[in-house]
Amino acid sequence: MADARVPSLRNRNRTQRNSQPSAENEQKVEVRRSPRRRRTVTAYRDGDTTVVLIPATMTKAEEKHWVAEMQRKLQRAESRRASPARASDEALLLRCTQLSRRYLDGTAQPASVRWVPPMRTRWASCTPADRTIRVSERLREVPSWVLDYVLVHELAHLRVTEHNREFWNLVNRYPKTERAIGYLEGLSAAERLWASRPEHD
C-alpha cells in the first residue's frame, strides 16, 4: 500500500463520489472517492487492479495526477521487493520447484537453473533436451512477480517447446502473466532508449 499527502483542498467545489474505473498504463485502475478523506491519497493492488482512494472534493485533473503518482509509488515499492531467488542458483532452482508445483502440476522439473551474464535478446532461455534453464542477470532486481513469470515461461518450455496455444495455456496459469509481459516490454524500451543516447548525455 502507498500513501501520499495532498495539498489543501479547501474552497474547492465538491465532485461526484462515484467510483470510476479508468485505465492507466494499460493496467486496471479503480478510483474510489471518499467524503471522509481530506488530505491523503492511498493506493494498493487488488489482484490485477490498482485501487486509488482519494478525497471526494478532488478535481478530475487532480485525480489524474494522483492516480499516475500512486502507480509510480507502488511500482517503486514492488521493485524493492525483489525475489529471494536472486540470491543464488540454488535459490532459483528452489523457486522453480515451487512454481512448477503451483502452476504446472509439478510436471516441469529442470535439471539446473542458473544466473548467466546478460543475453543480447532474451531474458532467459531453456534447453529442453538437457532440461536446463538460464536466467539473465538483468532480472536480479525486478519485482518478484516478474521473475516468477519468466521462470514459469521457461518451465512451460520443458513441456512444450513451441510458442503455440498449448504453451500459452500453460503460461497463463500464472495470474500475472500479462502484467509481467507489459513490465518487461517497458523495461526493454527504456533500455533501448538509454542505449541510443549520446555518450556525453
Side-chain angles (χ1 to χ4, degrees):
M1 178 180 290
D3 296 275
R5 205 158 179 78
V6 301
S8 175
L9 297 172
R10 277 177 283 181
N11 300 323
R12 301 256 188 217
N13 292 327
R14 296 182 69 83
T15 57
Q16 291 184 345
R17 299 174 188 171
N18 297 334
S19 298
Q20 297 292 335
S22 61
E24 184 78 20
N25 296 330
E26 298 183 352
Q27 292 183 2
K28 296 179 183 177
V29 178
E30 180 182 342
V31 178
R32 299 178 185 173
R33 290 174 174 266
S34 170
R36 297 181 180 180
R37 189 173 289 271
R38 293 285 185 263
R39 298 289 305 277
T40 60
V41 176
T42 300
Y44 62 91
R45 305 284 194 202
D46 183 6
D48 62 351
T49 300
T50 300
V51 179
V52 184
L53 309 176
I54 64 174
T57 52
M58 189 170 282
T59 66
K60 285 295 183 182
E62 290 169 330
E63 174 185 317
K64 182 177 180 181
H65 165 79
W66 283 105
V67 165
E69 179 64 22
M70 299 313 286
Q71 284 192 299
R72 284 191 290 269
K73 285 179 178 289
L74 285 173
Q75 189 67 63
R76 287 195 296 268
E78 290 171 345
S79 295
R80 288 194 293 269
R81 295 196 292 269
S83 171
R86 66 180 175 166
S88 66
D89 293 349
E90 291 76 14
L92 265 183
L93 180 58
L94 175 60
R95 187 57 181 160
C96 281
T97 299
Q98 295 168 340
L99 292 169
S100 177
R101 289 173 181 168
R102 184 176 302 174
Y103 300 111
L104 302 173
D105 306 316
T107 58
Q109 296 294 335
S112 70
V113 188
R114 59 191 177 91
W115 292 103
V116 297
M119 295 176 268
R120 184 180 296 272
T121 60
R122 298 182 179 183
W123 297 110
S125 64
C126 172
T127 304
D130 59 11
R131 309 185 70 78
T132 59
I133 294 174
R134 293 158 299 284
V135 182
S136 172
E137 294 275 358
R138 296 160 68 197
L139 296 178
R140 278 192 184 269
E141 301 305 321
V142 300
S144 59
W145 52 270
V146 177
L147 178 58
D148 281 353
Y149 158 72
V150 173
L151 295 178
V152 170
H153 184 111
E154 300 307 323
L155 287 168
H157 276 308
L158 294 177
R159 290 182 50 176
V160 182
T161 58
E162 302 294 328
H163 286 103
N164 55 24
R165 179 176 296 182
E166 181 184 3
F167 171 83
W168 285 110
N169 284 341
L170 291 173
V171 175
N172 284 326
R173 293 181 182 181
Y174 180 64
K176 296 182 180 178
T177 288
E178 185 174 351
R179 183 176 163 204
I181 290 173
Y183 182 102
L184 293 171
E185 288 176 345
L187 186 57
S188 292
E191 289 180 349
R192 287 194 299 270
L193 180 62
W194 179 259
S196 67
R197 297 177 63 188
E199 291 184 7
H200 59 271
D201 280 2

